[in-house]
Amino acid sequence: MKAFALIPLISCGLLSACGGGGGDSDNTVVETSVNAGIDLQIIEKTEFTITAQGSPADGTFSWQQVSGPSLEGFPLDGAEQTLTAPDVKTDSEIILRVSYQSTGSSAVSDDISISVSSNNQLPLAVVTQTSPETLPSVYKDTVNLSALESIDPDDNGQIDSYLWQLLSGPDLDITSFNESTLSFSHPLLESNVNLSWQLTVTDDEGGEASTQYSMTLNKTNELVDANAGADQNIEEFEQVTLDATNSETVTDTYQCKWQQLTGNTETLSNSNQCTTTFFASDVDTETTLSFEVTVTDSKGRTDTDSLFVDVSPKALGLINDSGVGECYNNTQRINCESDDFPEQDAELGRDSYANRLDKVGKGNLAFDYTKLNQFADEVGDDSSDFTCIRDNVTGLVWEVKTESSGVLPNTSLREGQNHYFWDLGDTTFTDTSTANSTCPDDTSCGVQSYINEVNSLDFCGGTNWRLPTYNELLGLIDYGKQGQRVLIDESLFPYIPQSGDIENVDLPYWTSQTAADGTSLSQAYIIDMSNGNDLAYPKENTAYVRLVRSR
């Protein structure tokens, strides 16, 4: 492409100013032009020369790059330039512009196009085995193959992607075939096996190269590998799963058989399956169970493996639960697994494990009571001859009342219908006029008189009988009996008086705790055995008494 500029020049003719007298003038126009040369096609990283021509010959040349991959050194001055094509990833075009200016003229310019072809050098695929350190590998070794020594010979090239292919060999458990490294576990093999791999690498210009790599995996002496799974730590009553499905054999099928070696005997759901379950039994201390699985392949070859299950007591506490074994919505009984009414009493605490608790005696749900005779010796759960009850959860021993024999005050000492006012500790209630009123005592129908008389008898093997605390007495309440006459097990605690014998409250029983009702301290808590409610009750009023002692 050529550019021109027109320059007017004035010559002297016959003008008088030039020494002539004629009237004609002579104007000559001189062209300024530049030519950047023909367009070029070159290969990346090769030298090439560009030469510009300008007219008239007394001008100067200046080069600049307009577009395309960068060339070094611009801007440049001079008609001829020798340059090196840049390293390009794809075919590219460079536009250069030359400007030319002669004396007394404006600059003119011309462009030249340089087409640069990419000349990608293909990468080199290289495979190395980096582990295990000791070769050849054996069963369960982790085998690592690496392609990191693969290279791209281009100066600024790099490997962009990797593809591994297993051309021949056994099935392997491989997470990814598209990483720079490939890992797998040496499998269980009946004979030596050759593996053939193909690695294909692709560089950042799309060039591909492949290589093949062969290796040998050695056979295993033992052709059955039993795997009982990892040791476990669980709490009592939890479901335990024993899983031997990670066992390996060289045959397609195998069978499993579980057996318990040590610990409390547990009932497995199916000991002849590779996966079996059981619910851990009730334990009082940390207990270890051990199990063994025998794996047999289809050719009769066997192997065994074992595991330990550490069982801890569940933190259920040393207090009784509520006795509620069913769940409810606002109107009716529902499945305890309902998400709309979660975490009800029946699915929490001791009662939720009642069917799996290892009881000493008997009782509803998680309640656990043992009958004792007058010497505090245990008697059978079905015995009708017992004098007190031991709570096997709390360890407390409770008084059992005697059958009603007459009308107050013509009753015996421990009849259930006797009732007393509260006069424990520093109290103003010392009224002896109550003797033989609501109880058969000749001194006073105060609680302390009753406690003293029972202790003097060495009743049921103890002399430390007392009023129960609020929480101790509340622990006898079985809220699962709502709607019945009393919320306590009458087969274990018989001879409960009839409701209504005491004014205003159905079945009030004293606790040892004074109610914080200001400064008078004139009330103590009672528990109403008919409904489980508590009440701050005037100490001068009378209520029933059920004594308790620690063993």
Side-chain angles (χ1 to χ4, degrees):
M1 183 176 182
K2 184 182 293 182
F4 300 91
L6 298 179
I7 302 174
L9 296 179
I10 301 174
S11 301
C12 291
L14 300 176
L15 296 175
S16 59
C18 294
D24 294 337
S25 63
D26 184 10
N27 293 335
T28 302
V29 177
V30 178
E31 285 187 344
T32 299
S33 64
V34 67
N35 188 338
I38 63 172
D39 294 340
L40 300 178
Q41 290 187 342
I42 58 174
I43 299 174
E44 64 175 350
K45 297 185 290 187
T46 59
E47 282 191 349
F48 65 97
T49 299
I50 53 176
T51 303
Q53 295 178 342
S55 177
D58 62 345
T60 58
F61 298 87
S62 176
W63 292 90
Q64 62 178 333
Q65 183 170 350
V66 176
S67 64
S70 179
L71 289 169
E72 294 183 359
F74 281 83
L76 297 170
D77 294 327
E80 183 174 286
Q81 304 291 337
T82 298
L83 306 170
T84 300
D87 188 351
V88 295
K89 298 300 182 184
T90 59
D91 292 348
S92 305
E93 181 183 28
I94 299 173
I95 302 296
L96 302 179
R97 178 170 295 161
V98 62
S99 295
Y100 180 73
Q101 187 168 20
S102 63
T103 302
S105 69
S106 299
V108 293
S109 62
D110 190 24
D111 291 346
I112 184 173
S113 172
I114 314 295
S115 297
V116 183
S117 299
S118 173
N119 186 25
N120 183 38
Q121 299 182 72
L122 294 179
L124 176 64
V126 178
V127 177
T128 56
Q129 183 173 345
T130 57
S131 67
E133 293 183 358
T134 302
L135 295 176
S137 62
V138 296
Y139 174 57
K140 285 190 175 180
D141 275 348
T142 296
V143 179
N144 286 322
L145 300 180
S146 173
L148 290 175
E149 293 187 13
S150 301
I151 59 172
D152 183 351
D154 289 323
D155 292 340
N156 61 347
Q158 62 182 16
I159 304 297
D160 259 6
S161 64
Y162 305 85
L163 176 62
W164 297 87
Q165 292 175 282
L166 180 59
L167 302 180
S168 64
D171 291 335
L172 301 171
D173 185 12
I174 296 175
T175 302
S176 174
F177 289 87
N178 301 107
E179 304 293 335
S180 59
T181 59
L182 181 98
S183 295
F184 61 91
S185 179
H186 187 126
L188 194 67
L189 297 172
E190 194 167 8
S191 59
N192 294 351
V193 174
N194 293 322
L195 272 69
S196 179
W197 298 93
Q198 178 170 291
L199 169 67
T200 299
V201 295
T202 305
D203 66 17
D204 55 358
E205 297 182 56
E208 289 186 354
S210 299
T211 188
Q212 292 188 4
Y213 180 81
S214 297
M215 60 187 303
T216 300
L217 299 180
N218 287 349
K219 67 179 182 179
T220 310
N221 293 329
E222 302 295 334
L223 300 179
V224 178
D225 181 30
N227 186 344
D231 295 337
Q232 302 184 43
N233 292 281
I234 55 99
E235 290 184 330
E236 60 182 346
F237 313 130
E238 285 187 12
Q239 186 177 47
V240 181
T241 299
L242 304 178
D243 188 353
T245 56
N246 285 328
S247 301
E248 292 190 66
T249 66
V250 295
T251 58
D252 291 335
T253 61
Y254 59 87
Q255 296 178 332
C256 301
K257 182 173 180 58
W258 289 93
Q259 64 173 332
Q260 185 173 352
L261 302 179
T262 62
N264 301 330
T265 301
E266 306 290 354
T267 301
L268 302 182
S269 60
N270 194 330
S271 60
N272 292 321
Q273 296 292 329
C274 290
T275 301
T276 186
T277 61
F278 67 91
F279 286 95
S281 299
D282 185 1
V283 298
D284 297 323
T285 59
E286 299 279 347
T287 302
T288 299
L289 314 175
S290 64
F291 298 86
E292 181 182 77
V293 64
T294 299
V295 177
T296 305
D297 71 5
S298 58
K299 294 185 178 180
R301 295 171 293 210
T302 65
D303 187 36
T304 61
D305 191 30
S306 60
L307 82 160
F308 295 99
V309 179
D310 292 327
V311 185
S312 303
K314 190 174 287 288
L316 297 178
L318 298 178
I319 59 174
N320 283 314
D321 210 339
S322 65
V324 177
E326 297 174 336
C327 296
Y328 295 84
N329 60 16
N330 297 328
T331 59
Q332 61 187 359
R333 192 175 73 182
I334 60 172
N335 190 314
C336 285
E337 296 179 358
S338 171
D339 293 333
D340 295 329
F341 296 85
E343 297 187 353
Q344 297 195 33
D345 244 17
E347 55 182 334
L348 301 172
R350 298 182 65 85
D351 286 337
S352 63
Y353 300 102
N355 294 333
R356 297 197 291 274
L357 283 171
D358 185 15
K359 289 188 179 183
V360 176
K362 65 181 296 185
N364 178 48
L365 292 179
F367 290 107
D368 186 0
Y369 297 113
T370 296
K371 296 177 178 179
L372 306 177
N373 63 18
Q374 60 182 325
F375 306 108
D377 295 327
E378 295 182 8
V379 297
D381 291 337
D382 297 327
S383 174
S384 60
D385 184 13
F386 58 101
T387 306
C388 48
I389 290 291
R390 184 183 68 222
D391 187 331
N392 297 310
V393 176
T394 65
L396 298 173
V397 178
W398 290 91
E399 173 193 14
V400 173
K401 294 297 184 177
T402 60
E403 186 176 6
S404 296
S405 60
V407 178
L408 290 171
N410 299 313
T411 56
S412 61
L413 175 66
R414 293 189 303 99
E415 286 189 24
Q417 62 181 320
N418 298 335
H419 43 107
Y420 305 82
F421 67 84
W422 199 98
D423 63 343
L424 300 182
D426 184 12
T427 178
T428 60
F429 302 120
T430 56
D431 188 0
T432 60
S433 65
T434 60
N436 293 310
S437 59
T438 60
C439 73
D441 191 284
D442 294 334
T443 301
S444 167
C445 282
V447 167
Q448 190 60 61
S449 296
Y450 179 63
I451 294 173
N452 293 341
E453 193 165 355
V454 171
N455 280 328
S456 69
L457 300 175
D458 193 22
F459 170 64
C460 206
T463 59
N464 59 336
W465 293 96
R466 57 181 173 79
L467 272 186
T469 66
Y470 177 97
N471 285 333
E472 288 171 343
L473 187 59
L474 192 65
L476 295 181
I477 297 293
D478 183 350
Y479 289 95
K481 295 183 178 295
Q482 286 286 355
Q484 300 183 26
R485 188 180 78 90
V486 294
L487 304 187
I488 190 170
D489 193 335
E490 290 189 86
S491 68
L492 296 165
F493 298 94
Y495 310 124
I496 296 174
Q498 294 299 313
S499 300
D501 289 350
I502 294 179
E503 188 176 355
N504 298 324
V505 185
D506 286 340
L507 289 173
Y509 280 76
W510 283 121
T511 75
S512 62
Q513 292 177 236
T514 295
D517 59 343
T519 59
S520 68
L521 304 180
S522 62
Q523 299 183 92
Y525 281 110
I526 58 97
I527 302 293
D528 189 340
M529 289 291 176
S530 70
N531 54 32
N533 292 336
D534 62 5
L535 181 67
Y537 195 63
K539 292 178 178 179
E540 67 267 22
N541 290 357
T542 59
Y544 301 114
V545 173
R546 187 176 301 281
L547 299 183
V548 70
R549 69 176 177 86
S550 302
R551 287 189 287 177

